[in-house]
Amino acid sequence: MAYDARFGPSAQTPAQRAWVLEQLQTALPSLKTKATAYARQLYARYVAGELTWADVRQALNAA
């Protein structure tokens, strides 16, 4: 797998991005408990590598 500079060194694979998301949700429980269906869809797209975390935050802030 080629390095993708859009993601940090610890978030190159879907499994790594899922772990990063889990850590964020542990640190900020509202990311999970107050997540709308739209937010969960964005999180899934982040894990899949379609969006960066900055893209997710931008989309959520615009919503």
Side-chain angles (χ1 to χ4, degrees):
M1 173 177 265
Y3 183 82
D4 189 338
R6 297 179 307 147
F7 302 101
S10 297
Q12 289 295 305
T13 67
Q16 290 173 326
R17 287 187 290 276
W19 182 84
V20 168
L21 178 60
E22 182 181 322
Q23 296 305 304
L24 286 167
Q25 290 174 331
T26 298
L28 303 166
S30 64
L31 287 178
K32 187 173 188 174
T33 60
K34 295 183 180 181
T36 63
Y38 178 61
R40 290 190 300 274
Q41 179 185 27
L42 292 173
Y43 296 164
R45 291 182 64 197
Y46 166 73
V47 170
E50 297 173 15
L51 299 173
T52 65
W53 187 251
D55 296 334
V56 171
R57 293 305 316 157
Q58 184 178 12
L60 289 173
N61 289 340

